[in-house]
Amino acid sequence: MKKISVEEAIGQELCHDITGIFPDGKKGAMFKRGHIIKDTDIPSLMNIGKNHVFVWEPEADEVHEDDAALAAAKAVCGDGIVFDDVPAEGKIVMYAQRRGLFSINRSALRQINEVGDYTVSCLPNYTDVKTEQKLGGLRIVPLVTKRANVDAMEKIAGDNAPVFTVLPYKKLICGAIITGSEIYYGRIEDKFEPILRNKLGKFDAEFIGAVKCPDDLETIIDAINKFVARGAELILLTGGMSVDPDDLTPTAIRSCGARVITQGMPMQPGNMLTIAYLGNTVLVGVPGASMHSPVTSLDVFLPRIFAGIEISKDDIPGLGEGGFCSACAECTYPRCYFGRG
């Protein structure tokens, strides 16, 4: 680019957006890239402190900010994401094309932000998003960047695709097993089933029923097997999740042959969450805190389960950071830090 005075720039093509403050106080592009500067523009330019402007002198190894941003958007946006066709002041915003779970390749995102000039920012990984919701933005810092930076960004994105995607929620056949002799024999009223129905109702869940079981290991195992035989893809089990000797739910999950991912979670509320797989069926031991807390570890993992993400042991330890709920007077979950480890 070549820097020239505004008086010399009459008739020249502006090679970048020029930002100014409009009379209503809003900030934006007062002159757009490609604008042919006229003599009548000079007072407006000088009023926003622009005594000089830059005109384009293209070189083989330089890429304009708009083109570099578009290249990045095309490289990092996977399925379920759209982006601005025309950059604004070198910036591009990405949007969800559907409702689902925003998924990030964190390593690739970090590597791209380590490339010279590139800045890519977004919502946290595993954010539940709605159609047309803004997911993030990207731009380069200077007006131009070296071609080598664009090439490096594209290679990282290509080797780690997709960097960003919105995973659609699947329809899951779901059942619930309510354990506890005090509930089974009618000594106290079960309050868990309506809570579970409400949480599942946020997704495309086909709820095939709830079964009450006494504190009997074989009865609980039999209930699990019957739900599996009916095609259940997600079974939620409540009650008996603590460490008392007569709390049988985790034992029943193990005894039915399931592969246990975790029994316990570095999150409060919801320390006692258990996650296991019995073939293609996900078994979730619901923490007792879900009875009285509006948000627990269960709410963090349900979107991942409905998005078809298989939970691994490696997903658990990092949840300690950000795993302590502040119990705000007005809950804003999931627009907060909880579960973002």
Side-chain angles (χ1 to χ4, degrees):
M1 294 181 296
K2 181 172 67 173
K3 181 180 179 181
I4 60 176
S5 69
V6 291
E7 292 85 359
E8 295 178 280
I10 296 171
Q12 296 277 357
E13 181 180 324
L14 196 61
C15 71
H16 62 94
D17 293 350
I18 291 182
T19 301
I21 306 296
F22 293 94
D24 62 1
K26 293 183 179 180
K27 181 181 177 182
M30 187 168 287
F31 295 94
K32 296 289 290 182
R33 175 193 182 191
H35 175 75
I36 304 301
I37 298 173
K38 304 184 292 291
D39 55 357
T40 54
D41 295 330
I42 293 176
S44 297
L45 288 165
M46 297 184 75
N47 286 343
I48 59 174
K50 297 298 181 183
N51 296 317
H52 296 82
V53 295
F54 289 89
V55 293
W56 191 233
E57 284 187 329
E59 296 181 15
D61 66 342
E62 288 186 343
V63 180
H64 187 273
E65 60 176 349
D66 288 349
D67 299 324
L70 278 169
K74 293 175 182 177
V76 304
C77 291
D79 199 26
I81 300 176
V82 293
F83 53 85
D84 294 329
D85 293 330
V86 180
E89 301 174 278
K91 294 178 286 188
I92 288 181
V93 177
M94 300 170 286
Y95 306 85
Q97 197 174 25
R98 61 191 175 205
R99 193 205 167 196
L101 195 66
F102 182 47
S103 178
I104 304 168
N105 185 321
R106 285 173 157 175
S107 173
L109 176 60
R110 181 182 179 90
Q111 291 177 60
I112 289 172
N113 279 322
E114 289 173 347
V115 172
D117 298 340
Y118 269 103
T119 63
V120 184
S121 57
C122 62
L123 299 178
N125 195 24
Y126 295 151
T127 296
D128 175 29
V129 296
K130 298 178 175 62
T131 304
E132 298 184 355
Q133 182 174 339
K134 291 181 180 180
L135 303 176
L138 48 87
R139 73 180 302 180
I140 62 168
V141 174
L143 294 175
V144 296
T145 190
K146 296 296 182 182
R147 167 59 63 182
N149 290 333
V150 179
D151 292 342
M153 175 278 300
E154 290 178 328
K155 184 176 190 313
I156 293 168
D159 290 345
N160 297 276
V163 180
F164 298 143
T165 187
V166 174
L167 300 171
Y169 290 130
K170 302 175 182 295
K171 180 176 183 177
L172 297 181
I173 300 172
C174 306
I177 298 174
I178 314 295
T179 67
S181 294
E182 68 279 14
I183 294 172
Y184 181 77
Y185 291 110
R187 295 189 182 95
I188 65 171
E189 179 186 1
D190 169 50
K191 296 182 180 179
F192 247 127
E193 184 179 343
I195 291 173
L196 298 183
R197 283 181 176 271
N198 179 61
K199 292 185 184 297
L200 292 174
K202 298 174 182 178
F203 305 94
D204 190 7
E206 181 184 342
F207 191 71
I208 58 175
V211 173
K212 296 181 177 65
C213 293
D215 294 315
D216 178 78
L217 184 61
E218 294 305 320
T219 303
I220 301 170
I221 293 173
D222 183 61
I224 294 172
N225 290 331
K226 285 180 177 177
F227 267 128
V228 172
R230 293 175 62 189
E233 298 160 289
L234 171 62
I235 303 173
L236 302 178
L237 299 97
T238 73
M241 291 302 304
S242 73
V243 293
D244 295 341
D246 57 350
D247 285 332
L248 299 177
T249 302
T251 303
I253 291 172
R254 293 178 186 278
S255 299
C256 73
R259 174 172 56 93
V260 176
I261 302 301
T262 184
Q263 180 182 348
M265 185 75 55
M267 300 183 72
Q268 294 183 26
N271 281 137
M272 295 302 176
L273 185 77
T274 295
I275 299 175
Y277 290 91
L278 181 58
N280 295 322
T281 304
V282 187
L283 305 181
V284 176
V286 177
S290 295
M291 179 74 74
H292 53 79
S293 296
V295 176
T296 71
S297 57
L298 175 65
D299 300 275
V300 172
F301 279 93
L302 278 180
R304 305 185 193 187
I305 293 169
F306 274 90
I309 296 173
E310 182 167 343
I311 312 303
S312 73
K313 293 183 183 294
D314 291 339
D315 295 325
I316 309 304
L319 290 167
E321 180 182 350
F324 186 81
C325 176
S326 292
C328 303
E330 182 178 350
C331 181
T332 60
Y333 183 84
R335 311 296 178 223
C336 69
Y337 67 83
F338 187 65
R340 302 300 186 196

